[in-house]
Amino acid sequence: MKAFLAGGSGQLGRELRATAPAGVVIEAPMRSELSITNRPRTLEAIEAAAPDLVINAAAYTAVDQAESDREAAFAVNAGGAANLAAGAAAVEARLIHVSTDFVFDGEKGHPYRVDDPPHPLGVYGESKLAGETAVREALPGRSLVIRTSWLYSSHGHNFVATMLRLFAERPEVSVVADQIGSPTWAHNLAKAIWAWSARPSASGLRHFADAGVASWYDFAVAIRERATELGILPAGGDGVAIRPIPSEKYPTPARRPASSILDSFASWEELEMTPVHWRDSLSAMLSELRVGAHA
Ligand SMILES: NC(=O)c1ccc[n+]([C@@H]2O[C@H](COP(=O)([O-])OP(=O)(O)OC[C@H]3O[C@@H](n4cnc5c(N)ncnc54)[C@H](OP(=O)(O)O)[C@@H]3O)[C@@H](O)[C@H]2O)c1
C-alpha cells in the first residue's frame, strides 16, 4: 500500500512514519516542499504519487494564535483538508483525516459521542470542524475523520514538554485544574490509524483517545511523579510545587472546553484493541524520552 502523508514532521506525523506497518510505502512531503493550502500543487503532488491512501496529519494547531489569525487557521484546517480530499478523489484514494475534541463546547458533562452536535468555542475548533465537513462532503464513503484529544509525544510542542521545561526552571508551577480531557500519546493514535488503514470499509466519524480522564493539573502531577521516578528531571526538579488554579486565573485568547472527554469505546472495539490508560502511555513516552536523551 502506498500512503501520501501530509504533516509528516508534526507529533502525529512522526509517529505515523515510525509505526508504519511492513509493506506500507509512505510519501511525506515536508511543508517546505508542499503547503496543503496550495490547491493546484496539492492535487499535482497527489496525482504524481498515486497513493491508495492519503493521511492528513497536517494542521494549524496554535489554538490561541488562531483567534487573531483566522484566515491562516481556516486556510490550513479547512482549505488544506479540502485540497487533500480533492486530490484523494482525483486518484480514487481513501482519506484518513484527523480532527479534535475542540469541536465541542465542553458543556455536555459526559464523554462526547460521534453523533453529539459540535459547537466549537474558538477559531481553531471552527476551522477544524469546517475541515471535517469538507472532507466528508468531498469523499462520502471513502473518508474517515478521527477526532482525538490532548496529543503529546516525545517530539514537538506539547504539554509534557512544557511541564518538563517549567519544572526545571521554576520552584512553583500553576496549572489549570478545571478543564478535563483524555491525554493521548500520538504513538497510540498512529497505531490506531494504521489499524483503520487495514479496514478499507471503515468510513465516517470516529473518536479515539487514550483511556482515562485527567485535568491539566492531574496530568502535570503525573508528569512530575513519573519523570522523577525515571530520573529525567534535573536536581531539585522533583521538589517543584504544582498549584491547581481555575481557568480564570490563566486567561488565554481562546476559550477552551471545560470537559472534552471523547467516548472512544466504539473505536477500541472496532479495532479489537486493548485501550491504554493515559498514565501508562505517559510512562512509555517518558521512558522513550530518557532513552533518547542517553542515546
Ligand atoms: N496537539 C493536540 O493537542 C491535538 C489535540 C487534538 C487534535 N489534534 C489534531 O491532531 C492532528 C495532529 O496534530 P499534531 O499535534 O501532530 O500537530 P503538530 O505537531 O502541530 O504538527 C502539524 C503539522 O502540520 C504541518 N503543517 C502546518 N501547516 C501546513 C501547511 N500549510 N502545509 C503542510 N503542512 C502543514 C506542520 O509542518 P511544520 O512542522 O513544517 O510546521 C506539522 O508537520 C491535527 O489534525 C490536530 O488538529 C491535535
Side-chain angles (χ1 to χ4, degrees):
M1 183 178 70
K2 184 163 191 192
F4 183 95
L5 170 64
S9 64
Q11 298 194 85
L12 176 60
R14 290 176 74 128
E15 294 294 344
L16 281 164
R17 290 191 290 137
T19 58
V24 173
V25 176
I26 301 181
E27 184 161 330
M30 293 298 106
R31 182 189 187 164
S32 53
E33 300 163 315
L34 175 70
S35 171
I36 59 169
T37 59
N38 184 325
R39 189 175 180 92
R41 282 280 299 115
T42 303
L43 288 174
E44 203 179 284
I46 295 176
E47 279 173 21
D52 308 290
L53 170 68
V54 175
I55 304 177
N56 184 17
Y60 181 111
T61 52
V63 175
D64 287 319
Q65 203 178 312
E67 293 299 307
S68 53
D69 206 8
R70 188 179 178 91
E71 210 176 305
F74 269 82
V76 180
N77 293 345
N83 294 341
L84 289 168
V91 297
E92 297 187 358
R94 203 175 156 217
L95 172 63
I96 296 184
H97 171 79
V98 181
S99 192
T100 173
D101 54 332
F102 278 27
V103 298
F104 295 115
D105 61 17
E107 300 287 325
K108 185 183 175 192
H110 284 288
Y112 282 98
R113 299 170 60 108
V114 289
D115 49 4
D116 282 321
H119 179 227
L121 295 177
V123 172
Y124 168 72
E126 281 177 45
S127 66
K128 292 293 294 182
L129 183 59
E132 290 185 4
T133 306
V135 164
R136 297 181 69 191
E137 282 178 4
L139 284 173
R142 257 209 344 272
S143 59
L144 187 65
V145 174
I146 303 164
R147 293 183 184 137
T148 190
S149 63
W150 295 29
L151 270 194
Y152 64 92
S153 78
S154 47
H155 303 282
H157 300 291
N158 58 67
F159 184 79
V160 182
T162 302
M163 286 302 117
L164 292 176
R165 178 173 53 77
L166 293 179
F167 294 162
E169 291 172 2
R170 300 186 184 173
E172 181 176 290
V173 177
S174 296
V175 183
V176 167
D178 57 2
Q179 285 170 24
I180 59 171
S182 299
T184 302
W185 188 21
H187 180 86
N188 292 340
L189 174 60
K191 289 205 295 193
I193 288 175
W194 289 124
W196 266 306
S197 78
R199 289 168 169 75
S201 59
S203 68
L205 198 49
R206 300 288 191 281
H207 286 174
F208 182 90
D210 276 340
V213 174
S215 68
W216 292 112
Y217 168 72
D218 296 321
F219 195 17
V221 169
I223 295 165
R224 179 188 59 187
E225 180 186 295
R226 198 64 192 117
T228 302
E229 285 163 8
L230 287 167
I232 56 175
L233 286 180
D238 54 335
V240 69
I242 306 178
R243 176 185 291 272
I245 56 165
S247 303
E248 66 255 29
K249 287 262 175 71
Y250 187 73
T252 52
R255 279 176 67 210
R256 286 161 167 76
S259 170
S260 61
I261 303 155
L262 298 174
D263 181 334
S264 302
F265 291 112
S267 294
W268 297 330
E269 202 172 303
E270 179 182 14
L271 299 179
E272 298 170 88
M273 61 170 284
T274 307
V276 186
H277 192 273
W278 66 263
R279 279 180 171 276
D280 294 332
S281 291
L282 173 65
S283 294
M285 177 271 191
L286 290 173
S287 301
E288 183 182 281
L289 204 61
R290 183 177 64 162
V291 171
H294 293 112

